[in-house]
Amino acid sequence: SISREQLEQRIESAQQQGMETEQARRELEHLAEREALGDIHIAVFGEISSGKSSLLQALLPGARLETGVVGGTTRGIRCYRWENELNLPLVLVDMPGLNEQAGTLSGVSRDEMARSHIALFLVDGDLTADQYASLRTVVDFGKPCILVLNKADLFNQQELERLLGRLRERVSKFNDSRSGARVEVVAARAGGTREITRLLPDGSEQQTTRPRDPDLGELQNTLRQLLKQYSSSELEGLRRNAVLSLVWQQLDQQQVKFRRQRSADLVKSSTGKAVIAALATVSPGTDLVVQGYLGFSMVQALCRLYQVPVSDLEIQQLLKR
């Protein structure tokens, strides 16, 4: 795992190279703010059709939106304080629906997952290919995850047991992953409404809407067990590792773009100088000396940019060849 000291050293080195480091430093500041608050963040994922809004309403009757208490929360992410029987400082993080991001986990959601402690992943049937890939991304953070089969009342008992067995079979390989994360599978009924077709005496049909009572007992029990299994310090350690890895990966991506742009600028500048030198030199052989020097300087600059330890002698041999 990456330590905070290693990351801070890399940020300092990146700044000395001329890279933008404000985002990385801000992420570390937000991590410190969240650690100081001591809240446990539970990220809630799911497609728009999975009943995510109904689940949040059932868990958070009369909930109020938390503002200004969670450092680093991205626009489009909503956080709610969850008053719970365990008297733990829980915050539910409402993530954008997967359908809003072409059925996959967006960069915004992925980053916020790194900042959370536990994940709730909602489905209303067997996992699709996109859902499986998104769940894989969540599990790779190495944090506890609960796969929630919502709308369980739409299945009879036999269908429900078969579907739960299928989901547990599919996520069993995640539980054996090197990350150490576990995925629990539970059934739930978030409530909401359902459409009922009534057959009237005259033979016509009438569509009515009826409320569906929520049943979140299994989900709450599983979450309670997770919170007992993992201490606050363990959960905080998992989040810290995920955030530090996230910032490191962001710096990797930023460095690739930075080097690509700087190397293009170096080659363009050297090429321009070479053209001018070719036009300016008139003595026989002088242009070769000038071009050799320009090429030598360009290779040196590119080696410094990519941190390749090549000695001057090796560069000279290369230019001679």
Side-chain angles (χ1 to χ4, degrees):
S1 59
I2 301 167
S3 68
R4 190 189 293 264
E5 291 73 20
Q6 288 175 314
L7 184 57
E8 289 175 345
Q9 290 175 4
R10 184 175 182 187
I11 292 175
E12 186 65 29
S13 175
Q15 184 175 8
Q16 292 175 1
Q17 294 176 45
M19 290 174 54
E20 174 59 52
T21 59
E22 182 180 353
Q23 179 182 352
R25 294 185 185 278
R26 189 165 56 246
E27 191 71 59
L28 291 184
E29 291 174 1
H30 292 322
L31 175 61
E33 291 174 7
R34 292 193 178 199
E35 289 178 342
L37 285 171
D39 293 332
I40 298 174
H41 291 78
I42 302 174
V44 185
F45 299 88
E47 292 186 348
I48 297 173
S49 62
S50 63
K52 182 163 62 75
S53 297
S54 297
L55 179 77
L56 288 169
Q57 291 171 8
L59 290 172
L60 306 163
R64 59 186 176 85
L65 187 67
E66 288 288 303
T67 57
V69 299
V70 183
T73 298
T74 311
R75 183 179 301 174
I77 304 292
R78 294 183 292 273
C79 298
Y80 300 89
R81 180 74 58 181
W82 185 11
E83 303 298 335
N84 58 91
E85 61 182 28
L86 298 177
N87 293 321
L88 291 174
L90 302 182
V91 174
L92 289 186
V93 186
D94 184 10
M95 314 295 279
L98 299 184
N99 283 345
E100 300 173 28
Q101 309 292 344
T104 58
L105 203 63
S106 70
V108 169
S109 297
R110 186 176 59 251
D111 293 353
E112 193 62 30
M113 180 60 237
R115 304 179 187 115
S116 298
H117 297 94
I118 298 173
L120 300 185
F121 197 100
L122 270 66
V123 294
D124 56 7
D126 197 1
L127 289 169
T128 65
D130 286 337
Q131 289 172 334
Y132 187 86
S134 295
L135 181 60
R136 168 84 269 178
T137 302
V138 171
V139 170
D140 283 343
F141 281 106
K143 301 179 184 180
C145 177
I146 302 177
L147 179 62
V148 183
L149 175 59
N150 197 16
K151 306 180 184 179
D153 55 323
L154 298 182
F155 307 96
N156 61 42
Q157 189 62 32
Q158 185 177 5
E159 292 171 337
L160 181 60
E161 291 177 0
R162 185 184 305 117
L163 184 51
L164 288 172
R166 168 65 174 162
L167 291 173
R168 291 188 176 105
E169 178 185 355
R170 297 193 67 185
V171 303
S172 61
K173 60 184 65 178
F174 294 153
N175 295 336
D176 296 331
S177 65
R178 295 181 180 179
S179 66
R182 283 199 61 83
V183 181
E184 304 290 345
V185 180
V186 301
R189 185 174 67 241
T193 59
R194 64 187 304 179
E195 297 292 331
I196 301 295
T197 302
R198 295 180 57 192
L199 184 62
L200 301 179
D202 61 2
S204 62
E205 295 181 349
Q206 182 184 53
Q207 297 290 333
T208 61
T209 301
R210 290 184 180 178
R212 297 160 58 195
D213 294 330
D215 181 4
L216 305 177
E218 188 179 1
L219 170 59
Q220 292 173 323
N221 287 336
T222 302
L223 184 57
R224 187 182 300 109
Q225 290 301 317
L226 280 178
L227 292 171
K228 289 180 179 179
Q229 179 182 351
Y230 292 87
S231 66
S232 298
S233 59
E234 287 176 324
L235 289 174
E236 196 56 60
L238 292 174
R239 175 169 69 173
R240 186 183 306 111
N241 290 339
V243 171
L244 295 181
S245 295
L246 171 67
V247 177
W248 192 278
Q249 291 170 11
Q250 290 174 342
L251 286 173
D252 282 342
Q253 297 168 359
Q254 198 174 342
Q255 187 177 57
V256 169
K257 295 179 182 179
F258 173 78
R259 285 175 168 174
R260 184 180 294 122
Q261 182 60 51
R262 287 294 298 271
S263 61
D265 293 341
L266 281 170
V267 172
K268 182 178 180 180
S269 174
S270 297
T271 303
K273 292 176 182 178
V275 171
I276 295 174
L279 296 173
T281 53
V282 292
S283 301
T286 307
D287 59 328
L288 294 178
V289 175
V290 175
Q291 299 295 347
Y293 173 76
L294 291 174
F296 176 85
S297 299
M298 182 184 71
V299 172
Q300 272 190 324
L302 289 172
C303 287
R304 285 193 298 270
L305 176 63
Y306 285 92
Q307 299 178 324
V308 177
V310 181
S311 69
D312 292 351
L313 179 62
E314 290 172 331
I315 296 175
Q316 291 171 352
Q317 293 296 327
L318 172 63
L319 294 178
K320 283 183 180 179
R321 288 179 182 274

